[in-house]
Amino acid sequence: MALLLGALTSCAHRHEEGGGAGFGRNTAEARINHLISEGRFAEAEALIAESASAGLVEQSVAVSLRRQIADLSMKLGEIPARLQRVPNFPAKLKDFTRFHIQKMYDSADFGIASKKELQTALKLLKDAAKDNSRLLQKL
């Protein structure tokens, strides 16, 4: 079994180093998505930059991944003031990012905020991300 894993690993490295038709692209993008899903945004940003400059990730994909990181790392307190004036704004979550709020919601961790407050925060952050996306398209 160990020999099989070693053989697979060495084959994958050969392909990633230029032999595979697109294999390096798929693994770079998969690794970036994995880092993002773990909330390791700085590492993901660095890998995006390296992968884009090496041609492993297309520029349009790099832009999309950077936008995803920006959306996930946005804090509730950073959304536009008009969105913060909604009824029942969960002010106690203002220092939390969308990533952390989503993790709390997914794991049913209601120690800091109720389910309804987490839902409201997520909706507001998604609305803010849509607004930012529209602004970028206009530029």
Side-chain angles (χ1 to χ4, degrees), residues 71 74 79 83 98 102 120-132:
D71 291 346
M74 180 183 290
I79 65 173
L83 292 175
R98 179 177 174 186
Q102 186 70 54
T120 301
L122 288 171
K123 181 177 180 346
L124 291 170
L125 285 162
K126 287 176 185 175
D127 289 348
K130 284 180 191 174
D131 287 351
N132 286 343

Side-chain angles (χ1 to χ4, degrees), residues 2 27 51 62 67 87 90 111 130:
T27 57
S51 298
R67 186 173 297 144
K130 284 180 191 174

Side-chain angles (χ1 to χ4, degrees), residues 90-107:
K92 59 184 152 191
L93 295 171
K94 68 180 175 124
D95 293 327
F96 289 90
T97 64
R98 179 177 174 186
F99 176 80
H100 290 107
I101 294 169
Q102 186 70 54
K103 287 287 185 191
M104 283 188 269
Y105 183 78
D106 291 344
S107 65

Side-chain angles (χ1 to χ4, degrees), residues 32-33 35-41 64-76 78 96-103 122 125-126 129:
I32 293 165
N33 282 317
L35 290 170
I36 292 171
S37 73
E38 290 186 338
R40 296 164 57 187
F41 302 136
S64 175
L65 290 167
R66 285 183 178 116
R67 186 173 297 144
Q68 182 181 0
I69 290 170
D71 291 346
L72 289 172
S73 60
M74 180 183 290
K75 291 183 179 181
L76 185 61
E78 295 172 347
F96 289 90
T97 64
R98 179 177 174 186
F99 176 80
H100 290 107
I101 294 169
Q102 186 70 54
K103 287 287 185 191
L122 288 171
L125 285 162
K126 287 176 185 175

